[in-house]
Amino acid sequence: MELIVKLEKKYNWFITGAAGFVASHICDYLIRNNQNIIAVDNFLTGLQSNIDYLKEVSTSHPESSFNFYNADICDTEKMIELSKGCEKIIHQAALGSVPRSIKLPVDTHQNNVNGFISILEAARANNIKRVVYASSSSVYGDSPKLPKVEYETGKVLSPYAATKAINEVYADAYTSAYKMELIGLRYFNIFGPRQNPNGAYAAVIPKWIGQLLEGDTPTINGDGTTSRDFCYVDNAVLANILASITSKKEAYGEAFNIACEEQTSLNTLYDMINKGLNSLDENIPITEALYRDFRQGDIKHSLANISKAKKLLNYSPMVLAHEGISATVEYFFKEKRKL
């Protein structure tokens, strides 16, 4: 991974959800930037392969340190113990997926809200002021306004969205009550290499790529005109690093859209993936997707305004959607060929 922002100082970082998709990329970046990392995950959804990968990267960067612990973020005493001596927290652990939250609302709340407060309490106990945490574009709910701006949200449509909205309220409260420096990042459909393509709740991009590589026919929810602001994972890493080091007090207690300000329909996305794989191997045919009913809890369109993140975090996307799709397709294609 390219060193997006060169850190001038070595910090002690506490990273949650390290076996997950986004957090493993953040750890990868920090290791390559010679930082000290304490990382935790309980493998509820994370992958051991991500931790194995990070340990391998760390062996070639001896000036960094990467220490991983299998631990549950809801265990507050353990979080206090492990984060002692850390200076910055990046909190990515969560039970994701809108459909899963509709099926498992209590589990979603336990992990996403109670777990979040547990991390805030660990930070407070160890006097760690800066906590950057993952929020979600799902907090915009049924608001039809495009592009999405941070101060205009609607009624949330799923338990998952509710947990992220609650986290933002708690972050604001902790910032005010305890003079902490909490910054939330509202991710818009993050994707990229190492994202899990398997399981009932797999994200659409790795899932479709995996299906096409297996010779299966992907399914699109709705008529395919549904659109999203797809954001390559390196952009999310950049946002986390910038939020972790900003000195702008106006950013504290705030949440920011992290996206590319690009709108891509599912039909266009599928076409890009299918043709991308075909260009790598002509034996992967150009095929029509199947269509089914629109999925409960989803919104029809999403597009971010990132002006606030540009102003207060100096964030600007490094990789646009089509570039990220190309890189992601190539990654999974090469991984498949290794098997």
Side-chain angles (χ1 to χ4, degrees), residues 201-217:
Y201 304 114
V204 64
I205 291 175
K207 186 174 183 177
W208 283 355
I209 295 172
Q211 288 173 328
L212 288 167
L213 286 171
E214 292 292 336
D216 298 329
T217 304

Side-chain angles (χ1 to χ4, degrees), residues 168-186:
E168 290 190 7
V169 173
Y170 269 113
D172 192 24
Y174 269 69
T175 299
S176 297
Y178 305 115
K179 308 305 177 187
M180 295 173 69
E181 302 167 357
L182 275 69
I183 299 176
L185 303 178
R186 291 180 183 170

Side-chain angles (χ1 to χ4, degrees), residues 29-328:
Y29 164 80
L30 291 173
I31 292 168
R32 295 174 191 274
N33 217 324
N34 300 322
Q35 300 292 300
N36 298 324
I37 305 152
I38 301 293
V40 299
D41 202 297
N42 66 354
F43 295 105
L44 186 60
T45 59
L47 301 175
Q48 180 63 50
S49 59
N50 283 334
I51 300 303
D52 294 340
Y53 168 81
L54 292 171
K55 289 180 177 178
E56 183 178 339
V57 173
S58 69
T59 60
S60 58
H61 292 80
E63 293 185 23
S64 68
S65 66
F66 176 75
N67 293 288
F68 174 76
Y69 297 88
N70 186 337
D72 191 331
I73 59 170
C74 293
D75 184 345
T76 307
E77 292 305 314
K78 191 67 175 177
M79 294 301 103
I80 292 173
E81 174 192 337
L82 292 175
S83 63
K84 194 168 294 182
C86 289
E87 300 159 278
K88 297 179 184 294
I89 293 178
I90 296 183
H91 176 56
Q92 301 292 303
L95 192 61
S97 170
V98 165
R100 175 164 35 210
S101 76
I102 291 172
K103 184 179 180 181
L104 301 170
V106 175
D107 289 354
T108 300
H109 181 92
Q110 172 70 14
N111 286 278
N112 295 3
V113 178
N114 295 356
F116 181 62
I117 295 174
S118 176
I119 294 301
L120 296 187
E121 283 298 284
R124 193 161 73 93
N126 289 320
N127 196 32
I128 304 169
K129 294 296 185 182
R130 184 67 53 89
V131 181
V132 178
Y133 67 95
S135 186
S136 167
S137 61
S138 64
V139 302
Y140 289 106
D142 65 356
S143 172
K145 294 185 179 180
L146 292 178
K148 306 295 185 185
V149 291
E150 287 84 351
Y151 58 85
E152 292 182 327
T153 59
K155 182 175 70 174
V156 295
L157 299 175
S158 69
Y160 173 75
T163 64
K164 292 300 185 178
I166 292 168
N167 285 357
E168 290 190 7
V169 173
Y170 269 113
D172 192 24
Y174 269 69
T175 299
S176 297
Y178 305 115
K179 308 305 177 187
M180 295 173 69
E181 302 167 357
L182 275 69
I183 299 176
L185 303 178
R186 291 180 183 170
Y187 294 154
F188 280 69
N189 297 90
I190 308 297
F191 71 94
R194 300 203 310 276
Q195 193 170 21
N196 191 354
N198 302 313
Y201 304 114
V204 64
I205 291 175
K207 186 174 183 177
W208 283 355
I209 295 172
Q211 288 173 328
L212 288 167
L213 286 171
E214 292 292 336
D216 298 329
T217 304
T219 300
I220 295 176
N221 296 315
D223 62 5
T225 60
T226 296
S227 64
R228 294 288 183 267
D229 194 333
F230 291 102
C231 184
Y232 191 62
V233 67
D234 282 8
N235 300 323
V237 175
L238 171 65
N240 276 276
I241 301 306
L242 291 172
S244 296
I245 62 176
T246 185
S247 59
K248 293 182 180 178
K249 295 181 179 179
E250 309 97 292
Y252 305 162
E254 297 292 320
F256 297 86
N257 291 338
I258 303 303
C260 292
E261 290 186 315
E262 295 181 303
Q263 205 168 8
T264 305
S265 74
L266 294 184
N267 282 332
T268 299
L269 175 67
Y270 176 76
D271 188 58
M272 291 167 64
I273 291 172
N274 198 183
K275 288 180 178 177
L277 286 170
N278 177 260
S279 70
L280 294 170
D281 183 352
E282 61 183 14
N283 292 317
I284 300 174
I286 302 294
T287 58
E288 292 291 329
L290 300 175
Y291 292 85
R292 63 185 176 194
D293 292 340
F294 192 72
R295 192 171 65 175
Q296 181 187 1
D298 278 349
I299 57 172
K300 186 68 176 175
H301 298 290
S302 186
L303 175 66
N305 179 314
I306 59 174
S307 298
K308 184 178 175 183
K310 286 180 176 179
K311 178 181 179 181
L312 295 181
L313 301 181
N314 295 323
Y315 166 81
S316 186
M318 298 173 54
V319 183
L320 298 180
H322 71 279
E323 297 169 323
I325 292 295
S326 178
T328 304

